[in-house]
Amino acid sequence: KEKEVTTTSEKEESNGKTLRIVTDAAYAPFEYLEGDKVVGFDVDFINAVAKEAGYKVKVEHVGWDPIFVEIESKRADIGISAITVNDERKQSYDFSVPYFLSTNKILVPEKSDIKSGKELKGKVIAVQTATTGQEAVESLLGKNHKDIKKFENNNLAIQELLQGGAEAVVADNTVVEEYVKNNPDQKLKVVEDSSSFDQEFYGLMFPKGSELKADFDKAVNAIYENGKYAEIYKEWFGTEPDVETLKAQQ
Amino acid sequence: MIKVENLKKSFGDNEVLKNINAIVAPQEVVVVIGPSGSGKSTFLRCINQLETITGGHIFIEGLDTTDKKVNINKVRTEVGMVFQHFNLFPHKTVIDNIMLAPLKVRKVSKEQASQRGMELLKKVGLAEKANAYPDSLSGGQKQRVAIARALAMEPKIMLFDEPTSALDPEMVGEVLEVMKQLAKEGMTMVVVTHEMGFAKEVGDRVIFMDEGFIIEENIPSEIFDNPQQERTKAFLSKVL
Amino acid sequence: MIKVENLKKSFGDNEVLKNINAIVAPQEVVVVIGPSGSGKSTFLRCINQLETITGGHIFIEGLDTTDKKVNINKVRTEVGMVFQHFNLFPHKTVIDNIMLAPLKVRKVSKEQASQRGMELLKKVGLAEKANAYPDSLSGGQKQRVAIARALAMEPKIMLFDEPTSALDPEMVGEVLEVMKQLAKEGMTMVVVTHEMGFAKEVGDRVIFMDEGFIIEENIPSEIFDNPQQERTKAFLSKVL
Amino acid sequence: MNFRWDIIFEYAPFLLKGTMLTIGLSVSSILIGTFLGLLIGLGKIMRNKVLAFPFYCYVTVFRGTPLLVQIFLIHFGIVPFFTGKTNAITAGVIALSLNAAAYIAEIFRAGIQSIDKGQMEGARSLGMTHTQTMIHVVLPQAFKRMIPPLGNEFIVLLKDSSLLCVIAAPELMYWGKAMGGQYFKVWEPYLACAFIYLFLTLILSFVLNRLESRLKTE
Amino acid sequence: MNFRWDIIFEYAPFLLKGTMLTIGLSVSSILIGTFLGLLIGLGKIMRNKVLAFPFYCYVTVFRGTPLLVQIFLIHFGIVPFFTGKTNAITAGVIALSLNAAAYIAEIFRAGIQSIDKGQMEGARSLGMTHTQTMIHVVLPQAFKRMIPPLGNEFIVLLKDSSLLCVIAAPELMYWGKAMGGQYFKVWEPYLACAFIYLFLTLILSFVLNRLESRLKTE
Ligand SMILES: Nc1ncnc2c1ncn2[C@@H]1O[C@H](COP(=O)(O)OP(=O)(O)OP(=O)(O)O)[C@@H](O)[C@H]1O
Ligand SMILES: Nc1ncnc2c1ncn2[C@@H]1O[C@H](COP(=O)(O)OP(=O)(O)OP(=O)(O)O)[C@@H](O)[C@H]1O
Ligand SMILES: [Mg+2]
Ligand SMILES: [Mg+2]
């Protein structure tokens, strides 16, 4: 029998039914598997929000593509997987208010002379498909530009960089920083350039027309206000969140 | 016993049997000879319904086998057939080869099938090979097992299609011996063969076929010593 | 021409040839007979080095073929071989079958090979089949092509391994005819066969083998009418 | 490159669990696939072309489209349609079985057609029916010849089961990816998985060779 | 479910480009793989067991490990080792060729061993060398018998090329995934790809069938 990979919020004041939350637990530190447990920022966040909204939730690792099938068919209630909100996706799904401001950073070899986003033009860049990193680079170079290599995950994108197949990787700051921290021997450095990249936001994903959206939007704002959000954020990323920008985006 | 009326058989455009008429009486041994490709095998296979005939009728014990209502598997149990290449089942022992059809078709008990099988093996002189696999037998032994296998269904008629032509010369004798024995016991037989010695000694009648026709038929002594047709003469001059 | 000295051949534990001594003189036709499994084929195949011998020596025109320094492919071009199952190349036309070895081994020109090939086909009576594929030929025709193919290398000796035993009785004659013709022209030949008629008519000497030994050898009339050994007698009584 | 043996050891229990599931998925799919493959193979050689056509289409579609797509269709389409919810393991077994069945059907067809016609005729001339002949004479012999290609197919299936990680069936590759995801590592998980797959296929080959030579001498 | 035809149309040029690359990758890998497969197959049937052993290992390893892992190793390991940087297309062709070579080697081996020993003896008795016999007698006949299994292998390879999307080789599946990633749609890209793969495999089957029947009547 399948052993389900779950985390359940403890207190249940709810209307009985447990919401099914689907994720692709392959994007540390947002969501990943620690052994057979799904952990990460997104998991703590959704548990806090659900508690606030008065729902019982169960987070299930289903894989990337399956998230969309599960949500579209309404077999799952919410998708949370560091999902970047954009207009194209809004055509098919509803999204909550943004809950995370993604700062994209550039990962380059130590010897690289790339100092800003602008200098990425004409260079080969590796990204993970469907991430804010891809959005950011495509907004610079153009959609499906030939110099953009899209990988299934950031691991592979970084490996491509290490083996000389790309000159830079663009990804969430947390991802690249985590990598550099974990792999000091790889001689990589992180380049920051908030000016060249558009701001990208993560949202909770609902089936089109979901009645949960309103409750969860309210709950997100509530944990912004009561400091719970900042607490979780600091626990995972060690810095203060930019709640103002998030709220301004609403 | 067998009555063949206006039998025709074509493969596509190729008419292989062109209006064959023949009768085989009970206990008669009919030998069919003729050049390669003349339709001898096809003739035998039609009797056994291994080929669907294109025209005419075949009666076996008065039953029209071409009639759709006749159960062809039933008919085949009455007609044993022995092939040039034995067609033994290589994954079964000799005794299992013999027992298979009685068990599955006649639904006899295992003991009965095995007992009868051993009797038949004794008859063809191979009792000690009961548990051997066909691949370990010589050609002559294989063919004798094939005969025993056909006899196990207790057929009323036996058809032989060049039973000795795949055998080494030394082994031909032992198979012919078994066939002679069968003939002596009164089995009705139709034998396609190139063994003219057998035809002369055992055959009650010889049929000479060429190009899908029966050219000539007669008692052996007449056919061999006094053939009426040019084609028969030409053929016999080559093979004798 | 051929001298075989103390030839031994084993397959694993199974000693198939046990000390064979034989001489074949130029232009001589030696016929080898014996029961199945007695080692006749193995004997021929050893002469041609298709089997690596386990002991003894084979001299062909004075050359010790078992000597490591002798180019075995060179030796084989001097020794033609015809097999029971023809072993024609089914993907090549008759003329290409014949031309292949002269082109690749003797490196003769295409025109020369083709001209010589056609001559040989005429000799075996198959000139009109030059561009047919082997599969469209009868057994007898195939065997005649195989003989022509072997002759195309202009061998000094021809080995035949039961060249007619896979043939329909009608076709045996035409192949034997070609072989007789060859013998008449003075070709040195070693022929394994069950055709006693051929042995009597064409053979200069008959060797009877059994269980890996040469039991008896003599001129045909002596062997057939007056065999010295019990085993020879027993064998001949079965096949004649 | 520093190879992190420690994370392999950390994940060893999960890899073991995944290996067990991989074996379970493969074995059940092989059994079901062989059974279905037999039926489809027999369907494809029916003399009635109209009846044989659906079987023909089945084989064409399943062999002509990527297994990945088949997995998605079955996981998200077929299984929920019948049971109301997704189940990666059920879907995995179904997808692998149906896919393998198409290949196995071809193996059966080829195996059956490789049996000398004389066998069928020999049995029919004894009065056995077509079905009896198939069961007692043709299939036992065909099966022996099918062992090498079936063995290949089993090895392919074993490796193909790694695709089930896309629907999060917790088999071997799934845990490999989890390990890579947690530690941002590529070589450690993939090489570890590769060795386990190699080990499994070697065992399978060994078993199949034994089986083959035992059947040969029989 | 509303099926978004519009995004398929939007991505049509990319899918077409991807299809072209898929075809290019497959064709070149088939050619190289067949050539290598022949050599390896011949290596494996050498009578000298010591010389044959490396070929045996090659086949075992490439057939026993997932293609995905082979792709990673070649893309991130072998190719950069020689050229200093990665190249998805080069790595893709190499990985597919080497993988296919292992399977094709087995096909060659089986094909060669299925040719009656009499053919070899017939040619050797005429004084032809082992090599001449292989080239002019055995291989031409073996090749004819190998067309059906080779055809299967080509179809497998065509579909396997979809795995190259993991190293961002912009073939068909890569663009399918890009489309899915942009719109968060699953069915549209995968079904579109499935149909294109099916179409390609059907064309391939058709060509192979024609070839087979032409060689048969020859
Ligand atoms: N299944 C078949 N399909 C097409 N043609 C066939 C088939 N079986 C036999 N024929 C053709 O029918 C003709 C007669 O064949 P048949 O086997 O009856 O001859 P035969 O007299 O038994 O010859 P042989 O002595 O060589 O066995 C031949 O021309 C043969 O090519
Ligand atoms: N390649 C081989 N491996 C093992 N044993 C073999 C091989 N070839 C022949 N033998 C064995 O050697 C013995 C002699 O075989 P050979 O073919 O020389 O006999 P033969 O006299 O030609 O018989 P036949 O008349 O049946 O052709 C037989 O017992 C046979 O089983
Ligand atoms: Mg016949
Ligand atoms: Mg012999």
Side-chain angles (χ1 to χ4, degrees), chain C residues 2-186:
Chain C
I2 306 180
K3 196 168 126 206
V4 178
E5 271 183 16
N6 306 324
L7 168 62
K8 288 197 176 106
K9 171 66 189 173
S10 308
F11 293 106
D13 291 345
N14 182 12
E15 187 160 41
V16 171
L17 295 179
K18 302 159 184 157
N19 205 23
I20 299 276
N21 287 283
I23 288 182
V24 180
Q27 311 222 338
E28 196 184 16
V29 176
V30 174
V31 175
V32 182
I33 61 174
S36 183
S38 56
K40 307 181 300 292
S41 299
T42 307
F43 175 49
L44 278 200
R45 294 161 59 83
C46 284
I47 295 179
N48 203 4
Q49 301 265 316
L50 282 177
E51 305 287 353
T52 328
I53 70 178
T54 349
H57 294 274
I58 296 173
F59 299 92
I60 293 184
E61 302 214 291
L63 206 68
D64 185 351
T65 60
T66 47
D67 188 339
K68 291 260 182 253
K69 275 171 295 189
V70 169
N71 179 346
I72 181 62
N73 291 317
K74 190 82 189 49
V75 172
R76 287 199 187 118
T77 61
E78 310 291 339
V79 185
M81 181 141 181
V82 174
F83 300 85
Q84 180 180 3
H85 290 110
F86 334 129
N87 296 351
L88 294 180
F89 309 137
H91 61 304
K92 292 194 176 287
T93 59
V94 164
I95 188 75
D96 285 344
N97 259 278
I98 296 174
M99 286 163 61
L100 183 65
L103 285 177
K104 300 298 165 190
V105 181
R106 290 247 191 267
K107 315 269 186 211
V108 305
S109 74
K110 219 161 179 168
E111 295 76 50
Q112 222 181 319
S114 146
Q115 196 194 323
R116 173 95 183 109
M118 286 308 299
E119 273 168 29
L120 286 166
L121 277 178
K122 249 174 241 144
K123 183 168 176 170
V124 299
L126 286 172
E128 80 282 9
K129 294 288 187 185
N131 294 309
Y133 280 90
D135 283 344
S136 68
L137 303 182
S138 77
Q141 293 172 329
K142 281 184 199 164
Q143 195 59 295
R144 284 185 281 157
V145 172
I147 294 173
R149 185 176 71 174
L151 292 175
M153 292 301 285
E154 307 190 339
K156 305 226 170 65
I157 309 152
M158 286 282 281
L159 310 177
F160 292 84
D161 190 2
E162 308 199 19
T164 59
S165 70
L167 301 182
D168 275 334
E170 285 176 88
M171 316 201 152
V172 171
E174 59 194 41
V175 173
L176 291 182
E177 209 46 58
V178 170
M179 289 170 64
K180 281 180 204 165
Q181 185 59 33
L182 267 182
K184 221 179 280 170
E185 290 169 12

Side-chain angles (χ1 to χ4, degrees), chain A residues 211-231:
Chain A
E211 284 151 11
L212 295 171
K213 179 175 152 54
D215 288 351
F216 274 79
D217 282 348
K218 228 188 298 152
V220 170
N221 278 314
I223 67 166
Y224 283 160
E225 297 304 335
N226 68 15
K228 184 77 184 159
Y229 180 80
E231 188 185 309

Side-chain angles (χ1 to χ4, degrees), chain E residues 10-23:
Chain E
E10 184 194 329
Y11 264 82
F14 294 111
L15 294 179
L16 185 70
K17 225 168 67 180
T19 305
M20 290 302 150
L21 184 61
T22 289
I23 294 173

Side-chain angles (χ1 to χ4, degrees), chain E:
Chain E
M1 194 167 69
N2 61 329
F3 196 82
R4 297 268 311 262
W5 288 102
D6 58 321
I7 67 172
I8 294 183
F9 289 124
E10 184 194 329
Y11 264 82
F14 294 111
L15 294 179
L16 185 70
K17 225 168 67 180
T19 305
M20 290 302 150
L21 184 61
T22 289
I23 294 173
L25 285 168
S26 304
V27 170
S28 26
S29 305
I30 284 167
L31 295 177
I32 302 173
T34 304
F35 178 73
L36 290 176
L38 170 59
L39 297 185
I40 296 161
L42 289 174
K44 237 190 117 176
I45 55 175
M46 279 192 293
R47 269 152 303 181
N48 186 328
K49 292 280 165 242
V50 178
L51 290 179
F53 187 69
F55 296 99
Y56 178 82
C57 290
Y58 179 94
V59 172
T60 305
V61 169
F62 274 90
R63 299 205 315 167
T65 55
L67 175 56
L68 190 68
V69 178
Q70 294 165 22
I71 291 173
F72 283 132
L73 279 172
I74 289 162
H75 181 63
F76 293 124
I78 313 284
V79 171
F81 181 82
F82 285 107
T83 69
K85 64 197 202 90
T86 61
N87 182 321
I89 302 213
T90 312
V93 171
I94 295 176
L96 289 180
S97 304
L98 293 182
N99 183 265
Y103 288 91
I104 293 173
E106 284 297 279
I107 295 173
F108 268 98
R109 188 186 57 72
I112 289 169
Q113 290 180 340
S114 80
I115 300 298
D116 181 45
K117 253 183 66 187
Q119 292 290 313
M120 176 56 89
E121 295 189 341
R124 295 306 298 273
S125 76
L126 293 167
M128 292 172 73
T129 64
H130 187 89
T131 313
Q132 285 175 330
T133 308
M134 270 292 166
I135 294 175
H136 299 290
V137 176
V138 176
L139 286 180
Q141 294 180 58
F143 200 70
K144 232 186 245 189
R145 298 204 191 164
M146 282 161 28
I147 290 186
L150 272 182
N152 281 349
E153 180 51 32
F154 293 173
I155 289 174
V156 168
L157 189 142
L158 180 72
K159 293 188 297 159
D160 277 353
S161 70
S162 66
L163 282 180
L164 295 179
C165 68
V166 297
I167 55 170
E171 44 69 68
L172 180 53
M173 194 56 109
Y174 176 86
W175 290 114
K177 291 214 168 185
M179 173 162 129
Q182 183 172 347
Y183 290 98
F184 283 175
K185 283 285 182 181
V186 171
W187 296 119
E188 287 81 354
Y190 286 126
L191 285 179
C193 288
F195 272 101
I196 297 174
Y197 281 112
L198 185 58
F199 180 70
L200 292 178
T201 51
L202 285 178
I203 289 182
L204 189 55
S205 302
F206 178 77
V207 171
L208 289 163
N209 277 341
R210 285 290 298 267
L211 188 66
E212 201 181 335
S213 57
R214 253 191 50 196
L215 283 174
K216 223 175 231 161
T217 56
E218 226 175 43

